[in-house]
Amino acid sequence: MQDNRLQMVIVIDEFGTTEGIITLEDMVEEIVGDILEGDEPEPVEFLDDNTAVVQGEVNIDEVNEFLNIDLPEGQEFETLAGFVFNRAGRLVEEGEEIEYDGVKIRIERVDNTRIMRARVTVTDEYRREDGDERSDEENEALDAGE
């Protein structure tokens, strides 16, 4: 890419089958993290300690890391939108809400059939269930707001 000053290349496997496309921006983002364009929204926007608005294309592992939760990752999906479709078993509409183990996901914006944005709320029920795994000192620190 660098020698030929290409911004985009097609990736081909050992059998000559097209595997995908990669851009220079994709490679840089793998090293330094997301690079947002001027009009590109933040992938995760926190509203408070327990609530965030998350873009549908954000990977489940990133959602788990940002919100300190443990939504399952599946073979059928990698993103928050994929998780919602998998749990619902159908296409969803704006305003619908699903709940999974004390985590509420409310669909904020849908474009055709694609989930663009969802509000993820970690309920007190999730925190109590998760609290069983914490030590007494950690629970006291959380209760004190540390």
Side-chain angles (χ1 to χ4, degrees), residues 138-146:
E138 289 174 312
N139 284 328
E140 288 173 13
L142 286 171
D143 291 339
E146 295 175 9

Side-chain angles (χ1 to χ4, degrees), residues 68-86:
N68 194 27
I69 58 177
D70 191 29
L71 296 176
E73 298 177 46
Q75 292 181 346
E76 306 87 31
F77 58 88
E78 295 178 3
T79 65
L80 179 63
F83 174 78
V84 170
F85 286 134
N86 182 271

Side-chain angles (χ1 to χ4, degrees), residues 45-71:
E45 177 187 338
F46 284 93
L47 303 178
D48 60 39
D49 290 343
N50 295 323
T51 307
V53 175
V54 181
Q55 300 298 316
E57 71 231 10
V58 176
N59 285 340
I60 286 290
D61 59 337
E62 292 178 55
V63 174
N64 287 338
E65 185 178 322
F66 281 123
L67 291 166
N68 194 27
I69 58 177
D70 191 29
L71 296 176

